[in-house]
Amino acid sequence: MMLVNEVRQIALSLPGTEEVTHWGKPSFRINNKIFIVIQSDMKTITVKTTKEEREMYTTTDPKTFIIPESFKNMNYMHINLETASKDEVKKLIRSAWGIVAPKKMVKIFFER
């Protein structure tokens, strides 16, 4: 189980990331583009994803990876931190950052 403080630590370690409140919840952004939101229950995060990635995760493990009704037309999904593996959460956080970060920054970051 990953804790929200670990999520925060991973997110803030990514270049250009800022923590900003979004509807009273902590969100992590780069260039004002959200890639993670910590939900009020402190056990769920919302991450930016691709349509294909979201489909794969939510089909494979629908108790851990959930598409909220309000996000069904957007490429975000909830992750239940109590049931997701730490490695998977870390991978998805980095992937979410890579989707919204400037492409040049992403290339440099992932090549190192």
Side-chain angles (χ1 to χ4, degrees), residues 61-110:
D61 187 355
K63 291 183 181 182
T64 301
F65 305 100
I66 303 137
I67 302 171
E69 185 62 32
S70 59
F71 294 142
K72 70 179 184 177
N73 295 320
M74 296 185 285
N75 290 325
Y76 285 90
M77 70 179 171
H78 282 340
I79 301 174
N80 179 339
L81 295 176
E82 292 183 319
T83 57
S85 78
K86 285 187 176 191
D87 287 341
E88 206 64 53
V89 173
K90 183 176 182 177
K91 176 183 164 190
L92 287 164
I93 290 170
R94 291 169 54 119
S95 175
W97 174 84
I99 292 168
V100 300
K103 298 307 169 210
K104 188 174 183 180
M105 184 183 286
V106 172
K107 185 175 192 268
I108 291 167
F109 179 78
F110 285 114

Side-chain angles (χ1 to χ4, degrees), residues 8-107:
R8 178 176 277 114
Q9 184 178 31
I10 294 165
L12 292 174
S13 74
L14 298 167
T17 299
E18 295 179 300
E19 183 172 344
V20 179
T21 302
H22 177 72
W23 296 94
K25 300 177 232 176
S27 74
F28 300 89
R29 306 166 183 229
I30 183 163
N31 294 338
N32 209 31
K33 295 178 184 174
I34 296 174
F35 65 96
I36 302 172
V37 177
I38 297 174
Q39 296 301 312
S40 300
D41 66 4
M42 304 302 269
K43 297 175 186 173
T44 307
I45 61 171
T46 304
V47 296
K48 180 77 171 165
T49 186
T50 64
K51 184 177 183 177
E52 297 78 21
E53 192 175 52
R54 184 176 84 159
E55 180 70 25
M56 182 192 70
Y57 279 100
T58 58
T59 302
T60 305
D61 187 355
K63 291 183 181 182
T64 301
F65 305 100
I66 303 137
I67 302 171
E69 185 62 32
S70 59
F71 294 142
K72 70 179 184 177
N73 295 320
M74 296 185 285
N75 290 325
Y76 285 90
M77 70 179 171
H78 282 340
I79 301 174
N80 179 339
L81 295 176
E82 292 183 319
T83 57
S85 78
K86 285 187 176 191
D87 287 341
E88 206 64 53
V89 173
K90 183 176 182 177
K91 176 183 164 190
L92 287 164
I93 290 170
R94 291 169 54 119
S95 175
W97 174 84
I99 292 168
V100 300
K103 298 307 169 210
K104 188 174 183 180
M105 184 183 286
V106 172
K107 185 175 192 268

